[in-house]
Amino acid sequence: MPVTVEQSSGRDRLNIHGAIDLETGRTVMKDVLTVDAASTIMLLMAIEAMYSGKRLLHVFLDNARFHHAKLVQI
């Protein structure tokens, strides 16, 4: 199986925001400079675009501070 993401040297930071459709295994991933409220919003917008025909989406987030940011909750 080919490697999807090359291994970093340990000193390089690799920030990936991602989501997986639990029914189909379909994924969306965003390689971002910083994982923060803005990158969370970009991920949520990408998910929304992938499922624009759906009326309801369930999104599970962990307890990271940026997931609770006011910008994300709007």
Side-chain angles (χ1 to χ4, degrees):
M1 174 178 231
V3 176
T4 304
V5 178
E6 292 294 327
Q7 181 177 351
S8 66
S9 67
R11 293 178 185 225
D12 298 327
R13 180 167 233 130
L14 182 63
N15 296 311
I16 299 174
H17 247 148
I20 184 168
D21 182 325
L22 296 177
E23 290 182 2
T24 66
R26 188 174 170 194
T27 61
V28 58
M29 295 200 158
K30 296 288 182 189
D31 184 4
V32 296
L33 292 175
T34 306
V35 178
D36 56 12
S39 63
T40 300
I41 292 168
M42 287 180 4
L43 175 65
L44 294 172
M45 289 172 64
I47 294 168
E48 184 179 37
M50 283 177 65
Y51 297 97
S52 60
K54 297 287 184 182
R55 192 174 60 86
L56 181 66
L57 296 173
H58 295 273
V59 177
F60 299 90
L61 302 171
D62 64 13
N63 205 25
R65 287 177 49 203
F66 47 81
H67 290 154
H68 299 281
K70 288 185 182 189
L71 283 175
V72 175
Q73 294 180 20
I74 295 177

